[in-house]
Amino acid sequence: MSERKPIKIVETVLRDGHQSLIATRMTTEQMLPIIEKMDQVGYHAVECWGGATFDASLRFLKEDPWERLRKLRDGFKNTKLQMLFRGQNILGYRPYADDVVEYFVQKSIANGIDIIRIFDCLNDLRNLETAVKAANHEKGHAQVALAYTLGDAYTLDYWKDTAKRIEDMGADSLCIKDMAGLLVPQEATKLVEALKEATSLPIDLHTHYTSGVASMTYMKAVEAGVDMIDTAISPFALGTSQPATEVMVETFKGSEYDTGLDMELLGEIADYFRPIREDAIDTGLLNPRALGVNIKTLMYQVPGGMLSNLLSQLEEQKASDKYYEVLAEIPRVRKDFGEAPLVTPSSQIVGTQAVLNVLAGERYKMITKESKDLLAGKYGQTVKPVNKEIQKKAIGDEKPITCRLADTLDPELEKLEKEMAQWKEQDEDVLSYALFPQVATDFFKYRAAQKNKIDLSKADVENGAYPV
């Protein structure tokens, strides 16, 4: 019998599972009753924060994301909590000054996060350094993610070299972040083996089921030596989400990779989430299209979420018939833009530009501000040079920046503190405001109104106006 190498499981239902399938609309109230059971499973970690959860909590659910994190931390006594962090963009869509990044990392760890998965949409490692150093300083676990993509530049040597640099940077572990489900089984074997040669860091594999190969990819990756895999409990698995936790546990049962997790307990957790999923189907929140296999993902290298965004953009313009033209235009725009991986925010930038190119009937007749910023070097350095002709058309004689954009930014925290002082109820509020000024302000107003109502009714009860 060969040496036992149990595979570790990262459960994503509280973050990527519901982000991928129901637009991040699961509420804290829906999460809390099952936490005690989830805490008994023995997961390596539960991913429960970051990504789009922060924006969605404030914008759609009228919840304080910091309060959610504290409640989850109170409930998970034995399990590590994990978040997703967009490098210098934190959880927003623009690069922030270093002081904001450092403060966000500090507060995330202080409120209960153990593992911070940090990535950059261009794999520009300069945009990860501040967050990694801050996590190291706060004694958190810094996991750095490679945004996996395909293209001439993305050779095994490229991935090995990047992994070595990540280890040298001070990362505690490495993640292969396959956000579009592009990693096919045989390539997973080659990639994991190459990374294991290049680095001694533990390796986590994250993928999506969009293209239909994810479970097989996990199997080959585990056999090649990957240490952790990301899965979602079955009601929030498959489609644009991750492979199902129970399926992967059962797959490796009795083998040298046996997770040792209790299927009965996982079954009870699945039973809890099933009605939440059914309700999402009934209300139209879970679109059945998100559950199927979309082989166009492999053909066009476009993430599932990006495909649905394109469809809705075209529907709004009454131009659904242009869908395939846009799909064919995406790889061309991506090439012009230095072959960037397609992940937030680069996926939105490339996708929107492709839509404009097709609808205008002329390529780059209209160029978005975000496209101009990317071509001007404001998001970081692309793996391949951008198309000089398109760059000139977009930014004219402006000199592209070659340094890290954050090096040109003044500290922001003090200014932000002044701007939102009237709404501040906790230190963390300034960070919510930094990321989403308008959305956070609307939430602060809502919170104040709710509080005043409660205070008023208490006062009225005491005055005898409303006898209890």
Side-chain angles (χ1 to χ4, degrees):
M1 177 83 178
S2 50
E3 184 200 344
R4 190 163 178 269
K5 295 176 286 191
I7 187 71
K8 294 172 181 167
I9 300 284
V10 177
E11 174 60 65
T12 67
V13 67
L14 301 185
R15 205 284 297 178
D16 206 3
H18 74 109
Q19 180 173 320
S20 296
L21 293 183
I22 60 167
T24 336
R25 295 297 203 278
M26 200 183 291
T27 64
T28 306
E29 204 174 285
Q30 287 174 314
M31 297 174 183
L32 294 178
I34 195 61
I35 284 176
E36 195 180 330
K37 227 163 231 178
M38 288 179 73
D39 196 34
Q40 295 165 23
V41 172
Y43 292 119
H44 170 68
V46 169
E47 190 198 45
C48 61
W49 211 61
T53 62
F54 202 94
D55 184 0
S57 292
L58 291 167
R59 191 187 299 266
F60 302 115
L61 305 177
K62 293 290 178 271
E63 287 186 8
D64 178 9
W66 298 100
E67 189 56 30
R68 170 182 294 185
L69 176 54
R70 289 190 285 266
K71 285 178 175 172
L72 293 173
R73 179 71 285 165
D74 285 347
F76 282 107
K77 313 272 189 236
N78 313 299
T79 311
K80 287 185 174 133
L81 299 186
Q82 183 171 309
M83 75 172 290
L84 182 67
F85 192 99
R86 298 185 192 124
Q88 212 65 31
N89 296 352
I90 310 179
L91 306 176
Y93 305 102
R94 72 169 176 88
Y96 294 88
D98 286 340
D99 63 338
V100 182
V101 175
E102 287 160 358
Y103 195 45
F104 202 101
V105 169
Q106 183 197 324
K107 285 296 182 186
S108 300
I109 291 170
N111 280 281
I113 289 295
D114 299 291
I115 302 169
I116 302 187
R117 178 178 291 169
I118 308 160
F119 78 98
D120 176 68
C121 71
L122 301 181
N123 286 325
D124 184 342
L125 302 190
R126 298 173 304 173
N127 291 333
L128 306 176
E129 283 167 2
T130 301
V132 170
K133 278 181 193 153
N136 292 159
H137 183 263
E138 298 298 326
K139 306 287 187 286
H141 178 111
Q143 181 180 91
V144 173
L146 298 164
Y148 180 77
T149 190
L150 304 174
D152 300 343
Y154 300 97
T155 61
L156 285 179
D157 283 340
Y158 165 82
W159 296 120
K160 283 167 77 170
D161 177 57
T162 309
K164 277 184 202 135
R165 289 165 60 205
I166 285 168
E167 186 165 23
D168 293 343
M169 190 194 285
D172 297 297
S173 63
L174 182 70
C175 172
I176 303 163
K177 181 177 165 56
D178 178 24
M179 54 281 165
L182 299 175
L183 185 60
V184 295
Q186 302 301 340
E187 292 305 314
T189 301
K190 292 180 203 164
L191 180 59
V192 172
E193 285 174 352
L195 292 175
K196 282 283 175 185
E197 269 174 41
T199 171
S200 61
L201 294 176
I203 300 174
D204 191 330
L205 176 55
H206 171 94
T207 190
H208 289 252
Y209 212 87
T210 324
S211 60
V213 298
S215 293
M216 293 179 283
T217 295
Y218 274 172
M219 190 156 194
K220 297 305 281 184
V222 168
E223 288 169 355
V226 90
D227 300 277
M228 291 91 80
I229 54 173
D230 288 12
T231 65
I233 203 79
S234 54
F236 282 91
L238 308 185
T240 49
S241 178
Q242 278 76 51
T245 305
E246 306 95 304
V247 172
M248 298 319 298
V249 168
E250 194 62 30
T251 297
F252 297 115
K253 199 173 181 179
S255 77
E256 63 200 281
Y257 311 110
D258 196 327
T259 62
L261 303 190
D262 179 346
M263 280 296 280
E264 208 161 295
L265 188 54
L266 290 172
E268 289 172 25
I269 293 165
D271 289 344
Y272 175 81
F273 282 106
R274 202 163 288 109
I276 299 175
R277 172 203 162 100
E278 296 307 318
D279 189 50
I281 292 172
D282 293 345
T283 58
L285 194 53
L286 177 51
N287 185 329
R289 275 190 299 197
L291 297 172
V293 167
N294 197 329
I295 202 62
K296 292 191 203 82
T297 301
L298 292 177
M299 290 163 63
Y300 298 103
Q301 298 168 34
V302 178
M306 186 176 168
L307 285 169
S308 49
N309 278 348
L310 288 178
L311 273 169
S312 60
Q313 281 181 12
L314 290 170
E315 276 164 16
E316 275 170 31
Q317 300 297 321
K318 307 274 188 287
S320 300
D321 58 318
K322 305 279 191 202
Y323 181 56
Y324 287 100
E325 277 180 67
V326 171
L327 281 182
E329 176 65 2
I330 284 169
R332 294 195 285 265
V333 173
R334 182 176 171 238
K335 199 166 186 188
D336 290 336
F337 287 10
E339 227 168 68
L342 296 177
V343 62
T344 305
S346 52
S347 51
Q348 288 89 330
I349 296 169
V350 168
T352 302
Q353 190 58 57
V355 168
L356 288 177
N357 287 1
V358 168
L359 294 185
E362 181 191 321
R363 301 186 77 226
Y364 303 108
K365 185 178 183 180
M366 294 181 283
I367 302 178
T368 66
K369 178 191 177 297
E370 290 76 16
S371 290
K372 288 175 183 174
D373 284 350
L374 192 139
L375 291 163
K378 291 181 183 175
Y379 284 92
Q381 189 177 0
T382 52
V383 172
K384 282 192 149 183
V386 299
N387 182 322
K388 294 285 180 228
E389 205 182 306
I390 306 301
Q391 186 184 50
K392 176 85 175 153
K393 190 170 183 179
I395 65 173
D397 295 326
E398 184 190 325
K399 206 168 184 293
I401 71 162
T402 53
C403 66
R404 186 182 73 115
L405 180 68
D407 290 336
T408 69
L409 302 176
D410 293 325
E412 296 182 74
L413 264 179
E414 204 175 311
K415 177 176 160 284
L416 292 163
E417 288 276 12
K418 281 181 188 151
E419 282 177 19
M420 54 76 63
Q422 73 179 103
W423 302 110
K424 188 170 175 178
E425 287 188 13
Q426 57 178 351
D427 289 347
E428 291 80 2
D429 285 344
V430 71
L431 292 165
S432 304
Y433 177 81
L435 265 51
F436 306 105
Q438 191 53 57
V439 172
T441 303
D442 291 345
F443 170 74
F444 297 151
K445 287 176 183 171
Y446 168 83
R447 181 175 68 183
Q450 293 297 102
K451 212 167 182 176
N452 290 340
K453 266 187 226 164
I454 293 161
D455 289 344
L456 179 71
S457 60
K458 265 190 198 160
D460 286 343
V461 166
E462 279 158 17
N463 296 336
Y466 293 101
V468 178

